[in-house]
Amino acid sequence: MERRASFSPLALAAAAWVLLVAARALTLAPDLWEWDEILFVRAVLHGIDLRAGRPHAPGYPLFVESARGLAALGFAPFRAAVLVGFAGGVLAPAGLAALLAAFELPLAASVLGGALYAFLPAVWLHGGRPLSDSPAAAAFLFSAAALVAALRREDGRLLAAGAALAALDFGLRPQTAVALLPLAAVVAFRFLRRGRVRPVLTALAFGLGLSALAYAPAIRGSGGWAPFRDKVAAQAAYVRESDSLSRTDLARAETWTRWFRDPFGPDALAIAFGVLAFAALAFSFRKALALVALFLPLYALTIPYSSLQAAPRYAVVLLPLPAALAALALSRLRSVARIPAALLGAGLVGASAAVAMPAVVEVARNPSPPVAAFAALKSDPLLAGRPLVLWTGLAMHREELLPGARAREIGEDKTASVTREELIVMSDDAIFGQKPVRHFAFESPLLLRISRARYLNVSIVEGDPGLGVLRPWLDGKGDFDWTTGDANLVEGDLLTVRGVAGPVDVTVGAVASARAEARLRVTTNGPSRNLSLRSRERGTLAFRAFPDAQGVLFRLRVAEGDVALANFRFTPAPGGAP
């Protein structure tokens, strides 16, 4: 009986590992999806050069150099980068299991924590892509495990191993390694108090020396220290200006739901992990608090300085904490109710996997929308060879997938005049009031939550000189879907439409709310128009408009009541652009 008890957790760990490897291997990224994947693949092909954006600063050199090593063995650059991401995707859950074991959780609970983390929807989605997030998470977790074990056992070899793994993490994604410094300082202080200076100096030499070696390729490939430093500084300034969150942003509920709800997918799954996290704090306070303290610097270095759009991807390195707390709570429950704890743990892993599987499989089995769109632009006889007007976010995809194509980018205000020969290519948007000739999209609605929420659809629209690219802005509290023109507007809302090239006939259907009458007022560069509707009455607002000196086509204000709008229709008016 004693032998069976010791074998069972090991068998569980082996089975979980095989399942994880198989799940990751069967859902590897098939092609380039996000723009930073392109930057990494370029670096694998040509070497790191921050001046040329291969990739952006700080270069993530150990990720790139690992992939270059695989490329030297004959793997295509994209596949080599994917395999490094895959290695991180299967090692990171093992790293969490090692960390929980270092916190003296039983092996079964440690394995459960790793499995919970592995199959969280956002983690599974990004665990097999050519990105540095998963390898960095793996290095962070193994380093933390070694440092916690060194603290408990006062073992100098574990301290040196933790420092070496932290240096590895620094070469993969530096901000995750910096977040280890408080833990490393606590461990070093414990050793110094015991008069053990030599292990601390050895670990420091390992950490600093290996970190310097890790960045040597990035510095050399970028033309030396000065250009490398300048690019890192420029990237840091960009993050501060474009991605960093204000105090107002940090006080908004939407910020925290994007980080701590969306990566889980359905609300019920996020709530389940949240309840278990609070249970861990209630019933195993010291260990739970230690886990929170370990991850808190990482949260502080990530959340305030990261785009909310990319939150589920960056959360890959943050999500070990809720999985660890859930495993801790289930471990305590197991001591009083073994079978319910086992069923609940298995149910959570199964629920996470079941939720994630359709979206993950769709991404793994289908070309990404940008890849599919540029393949059509290359091979479709009706589209091939025509000049392109591109949404800015697709410029890198065009360079990589359709080099040499005639193309220009839509300006910062996202409006443009076009010629009849041009094709408009938009990502994650539709052309307001125009139907695409080709449309490529992922179908799973879950991807809007668990992915970066970009490049989920790409539309190709025939250029119309009389319309160009129209862009609406809504000031107010209403709900407006500018890709269709469907809207629910409330009193005081102002809808402004800009960017047309010439006179346009506009029609839109309107329905007053059941509560009261509604009155709309349209202001154009010509006569104004009003539409009054009784409660529940339907009507059509039709008018001719042409842009003013600021490019405003018309303004539609809800002067009274609430109103629902149907699709806008735009038709170039006689005398418009040729």
Side-chain angles (χ1 to χ4, degrees):
M1 294 296 291
E2 184 69 26
R3 185 176 182 181
R4 177 182 295 179
S6 64
F7 173 77
S8 181
L10 293 176
L12 173 66
W17 177 260
V18 170
L19 177 63
L20 172 60
V21 171
R24 289 287 193 271
L26 291 171
T27 55
L28 292 177
D31 59 24
L32 295 166
W33 182 11
E34 298 184 8
W35 65 266
D36 34 8
E37 297 177 355
I38 296 174
L39 297 183
F40 277 128
V41 172
R42 287 179 179 175
V44 174
L45 183 61
H46 302 292
I48 298 172
D49 186 349
L50 303 190
R51 298 167 300 180
R54 303 194 311 254
H56 64 67
Y60 313 99
L62 286 185
F63 177 83
V64 172
E65 293 303 319
S66 298
R68 282 174 66 81
L70 291 175
L73 297 176
F75 290 94
F78 170 75
R79 183 54 55 189
V82 167
L83 289 175
V84 177
F86 163 77
V90 296
L91 288 173
L96 179 57
L99 177 61
L100 292 174
F103 272 91
E104 299 183 339
L105 265 69
L107 179 58
S110 301
V111 171
L112 175 60
L116 288 169
Y117 171 58
F119 290 104
L120 287 176
V123 176
W124 190 0
L125 178 69
H126 296 105
R129 301 210 63 82
L131 297 164
S132 65
D133 303 82
S134 291
F140 175 89
L141 291 166
F142 276 113
S143 177
L147 291 173
V148 169
L151 183 65
R152 290 185 177 278
R153 303 177 192 175
E154 297 186 13
D155 188 327
R157 292 170 298 180
L158 287 172
L159 176 59
L165 288 164
L168 174 65
D169 194 20
F170 189 73
L172 290 165
R173 198 167 186 82
Q175 57 268 47
T176 61
V178 172
L180 287 164
L181 290 178
L183 174 60
V186 169
V187 181
F189 181 71
R190 171 70 65 85
F191 274 75
L192 293 175
R193 282 190 62 186
R194 297 285 195 272
R196 301 185 62 190
V197 177
R198 183 174 179 180
V200 174
L201 293 178
T202 301
L204 190 63
F206 265 111
L208 294 178
L210 292 176
S211 295
L213 286 175
Y215 273 88
I219 295 170
R220 183 174 60 251
S222 301
W225 170 249
F228 175 84
R229 178 200 59 208
D230 292 344
K231 284 297 182 181
V232 171
Q235 179 67 15
Y238 174 83
V239 169
R240 286 195 302 271
E241 295 169 7
S242 301
D243 288 345
S244 296
L245 303 181
S246 65
R247 292 181 181 178
T248 302
D249 292 328
L250 290 171
R252 293 169 56 201
E254 292 85 350
T255 297
W256 302 102
T257 58
R258 183 64 177 154
W259 281 101
F260 295 109
R261 181 201 67 183
D262 289 3
F264 292 89
D267 290 350
L269 199 59
I271 291 170
F273 275 87
V275 169
L276 287 172
F278 280 109
L281 286 164
F283 299 111
S284 190
F285 181 73
R286 292 185 64 182
K287 285 185 178 180
L289 188 63
L291 282 166
V292 171
L294 170 60
F295 279 88
L296 202 57
L298 187 57
Y299 282 54
L301 290 171
T302 302
I303 294 175
Y305 308 105
S306 301
S307 164
L308 285 183
Q309 195 174 48
R313 197 193 96 191
Y314 295 151
V316 166
V317 76
L318 306 184
L319 292 177
L321 177 58
L325 293 175
L328 180 58
L330 291 170
S331 178
R332 287 300 303 268
L333 177 61
R334 184 177 181 271
S335 64
V336 295
R338 183 171 183 172
I339 293 178
L343 291 175
L344 182 55
L348 268 181
V349 174
S352 298
V355 163
M357 186 177 296
V360 173
V361 170
E362 181 185 5
V363 170
R365 291 292 175 264
N366 297 281
S368 67
V371 169
F374 282 101
L377 290 168
K378 183 176 183 179
S379 61
D380 190 321
L382 298 177
L383 307 177
R386 295 174 62 177
L388 308 176
V389 179
L390 294 173
W391 179 66
T392 305
L394 288 171
M396 218 167 294
H397 288 86
R398 196 274 306 167
E399 292 174 8
E400 190 72 18
L401 303 172
L402 200 63
R406 293 175 292 166
R408 60 190 176 95
E409 296 180 23
I410 292 174
E412 289 185 5
D413 62 355
K414 296 189 177 180
T415 65
S417 298
V418 299
T419 67
R420 205 169 296 281
E421 183 190 14
E422 288 178 313
L423 295 169
I424 307 166
V425 188
M426 299 284 282
S427 175
D428 302 313
D429 291 330
I431 307 300
F432 183 50
Q434 300 181 62
K435 293 183 178 180
V437 293
R438 298 292 300 275
H439 184 69
F440 308 88
F442 286 133
E443 295 181 359
S444 173
L446 186 67
L447 289 171
L448 193 62
R449 279 195 172 190
I450 67 172
S451 77
R452 192 173 181 171
R454 292 182 66 180
Y455 312 111
L456 295 180
N457 66 80
V458 177
S459 298
I460 302 174
V461 178
E462 290 274 6
D464 188 328
L467 296 180
V469 178
L470 299 175
R471 303 293 293 191
W473 281 262
L474 177 65
D475 295 319
K477 300 179 180 179
D479 177 22
F480 181 78
D481 181 351
W482 68 266
T483 64
T484 63
D486 294 337
N488 291 293
L489 304 184
V490 301
E491 187 172 316
D493 283 357
L494 174 65
L495 175 66
T496 303
V497 176
R498 300 181 62 239
V500 74
V504 171
D505 287 326
V506 184
T507 62
V508 58
V511 182
S513 74
R515 295 194 302 273
E517 296 180 358
R519 185 163 59 87
L520 306 179
R521 180 176 178 81
V522 174
T523 304
T524 73
N525 199 17
S528 299
R529 293 292 305 275
N530 296 320
L531 177 66
S532 296
L533 300 170
R534 295 187 301 272
S535 174
R536 298 181 185 273
E537 184 182 3
R538 296 177 179 272
T540 299
L541 187 61
F543 56 93
R544 179 166 293 180
F546 55 96
D548 62 16
Q550 286 74 43
V552 175
L553 180 64
F554 67 86
R555 293 180 173 89
L556 186 156
R557 181 180 293 278
V558 183
E560 184 179 341
D562 301 342
V563 65
L565 300 180
N567 273 0
F568 279 88
R569 302 294 182 192
F570 298 91
T571 306

